[in-house]
Amino acid sequence: MVDLQSQYAKIKDIVDPSIQEVMDNASFINGPSVHEFQKNLENYLGVKHVIPCANGTDALQIAMMGLGLKPGDEVITADFTFAATVEVIALLQLTPVLVDVDPVTFNIDVNAIKKAITPKTKAIVPVHLFGLPADMDAIMELAKEHNLFVIEDNAQAIGASYTHKDGTKTKTGAIGDVASTSFFPSKNLGCYGDGGAIFTNDDDLAHTIRGIVNHGMYKRYHHDVVGVNSRLDSIQAAVLDAKLPHLDTYNKARRTAAKKYNEAFKNHPNIVTPTGLGVNDADDFHVFHQYTLNLKAVDRDALVAHLQSKNIPCGVYYPIPLHRQKAYMDDRYDEADFEVTNALIQSVISLPMHTELEDEQISYITSTILNFIASHK
Ligand SMILES: *Cc1c(COP(=O)(O)O)cnc(C)c1O
């Protein structure tokens, strides 16, 4: 699904010396690379504060702690996403409220959010799923109206721009009250281990969060709030700082691959290709963390088996809706409210997507899929 080896081979000359520098200085924790990466990422995103931490799941949890959410507060998020989002809501004893997604964008459905708001609702967590920004103008408007926090889960969309109704653009993660991201190796900006970060434009919240990531300390050995230990180590920061200047090129390579996939599947009666590609090279509103097809009247599982037999990796993100996961089932949920997610889990398939995909690989993948569908009518 991803080719991190070929990507590393191309940037080895830049990455290796920056890792070596950390080793030479033995500045493993809070070394200069952490601060440099933080500043460079703030500039890149156009956000006032980046607070690095240990991983994307911690980033979400810390964001919620920073906002002062309390047990019993309801937090609305998408049913069709990776479990990390709902996991931290539950861990903090907040009440997860899962809602359905849009059938075209796969992102959280604003009307479903509207329906789910109660007097206990405190926050909305839109996930920019697969690299496509959620409907942020509508979400921010709704949040303002009901006095709710918006926490963007930007783990899959770093580098994407959201185009507002007035035509201006903002990078995802710089729109809500606070945002989280992950630098897991396969993410669009990945390190060589675990890593994550929290973003915010709010000075007070940034200050609160900087204490929380460091055992609740604002002054050494003075623990003002209950915190956690969540750090981005210096080696990972050095890797990320070396890779950040390549992020736009990487995302462009993903969009180019997506465009070629889309071309091959164009107007096919059984294949709905992803939306949000744009028409110009500069269109950066979908950064294709995943390239996901929605199949119509195709035996998806048979196709998956066929691709595997041809040595073509593929994935099903996500095979089970969160509201039906053992850990998150709840009598509050009504199956009728999850029509879209319940259908998507049976019809989506994600194809190999990374920065090193070659034309030959794309045509092999697409022709194998098209032949399979043609021969299984
Ligand atoms: C990857 C991911 C996370 C978690 O990130 P980790 O760094 O693996 O903890 C959270 N949310 C979404 C949507 C993700 O894709």
Side-chain angles (χ1 to χ4, degrees), residues 54-60 81-85 87 127-130 153-156 180-184 186-187 193-196 289 318:
N55 59 68
T57 309
D58 273 10
L60 275 167
T81 178
F82 181 57
T85 328
E87 178 178 58
V127 182
H128 305 305
L129 201 74
F130 303 152
D153 183 343
N154 199 30
Q156 300 189 359
S180 61
T181 202
S182 163
F183 304 121
F184 186 79
S186 64
K187 299 283 157 95
D194 274 309
H289 176 59
Y318 296 90

Side-chain angles (χ1 to χ4, degrees), residues 105-125:
T105 64
F106 308 149
N107 276 322
I108 194 162
D109 178 341
V110 179
N111 284 319
I113 301 177
K114 253 181 225 171
K115 259 184 70 184
I117 293 174
T118 76
K120 285 187 181 168
T121 309
K122 288 284 147 50
I124 307 169
V125 187

Side-chain angles (χ1 to χ4, degrees), residues 9 13 50 54 86 96 121-122 145 161 180 183 190 206 215 220 236 259 268 284 335 358 363 367:
D13 292 350
V50 165
V86 67
T121 309
K122 288 284 147 50
E145 193 183 317
S161 289
S180 61
F183 304 121
H215 302 289
R220 209 167 161 81
Q236 300 309 335
K259 198 174 279 179
H268 194 288
D284 51 0
E335 284 303 324
E358 284 161 18
S363 16
S367 60

Side-chain angles (χ1 to χ4, degrees), residues 300-314 349 364-365 368-369 371-372 375-376:
R300 195 260 319 263
D301 297 337
L303 175 60
V304 168
H306 180 70
L307 292 176
Q308 277 162 354
S309 76
K310 298 277 177 192
N311 281 324
I312 297 173
C314 63
I349 183 169
Y364 178 61
I365 295 164
T368 306
I369 293 172
N371 288 338
F372 174 89
S375 61
H376 285 74

Side-chain angles (χ1 to χ4, degrees), residues 149-277:
F149 294 118
V150 174
I151 305 162
E152 291 174 76
D153 183 343
N154 199 30
Q156 300 189 359
I158 196 155
S161 289
Y162 174 76
T163 310
H164 299 277
K165 275 183 251 164
D166 64 4
T168 58
K169 295 210 278 184
T170 311
K171 287 258 192 276
T172 55
I175 305 166
D177 296 281
V178 60
S180 61
T181 202
S182 163
F183 304 121
F184 186 79
S186 64
K187 299 283 157 95
N188 291 36
L189 179 62
C191 56
Y192 297 160
D194 274 309
I198 304 137
F199 318 145
T200 184
N201 284 312
D202 181 325
D203 297 341
D204 293 337
L205 182 59
H207 173 77
T208 303
I209 288 174
R210 284 205 182 91
I212 292 174
V213 297
N214 189 26
H215 302 289
M217 281 194 284
Y218 297 91
K219 204 170 133 193
R220 209 167 161 81
Y221 300 121
H222 293 250
H223 304 273
D224 294 358
V225 295
V226 177
V228 294
N229 171 24
S230 189
R231 289 185 283 243
L232 179 71
D233 69 70
S234 309
I235 290 181
Q236 300 309 335
V239 171
L240 289 164
D241 207 32
K243 286 181 77 175
L244 180 60
H246 299 270
L247 178 57
D248 284 344
T249 313
Y250 287 161
N251 282 339
K252 199 171 164 197
R254 288 171 178 273
R255 285 200 305 279
T256 303
K259 198 174 279 179
K260 289 173 186 161
Y261 276 134
N262 271 13
E263 269 303 310
F265 298 128
K266 204 168 148 181
N267 298 330
H268 194 288
N270 302 101
I271 302 174
V272 182
T273 54
T275 184
L277 186 59

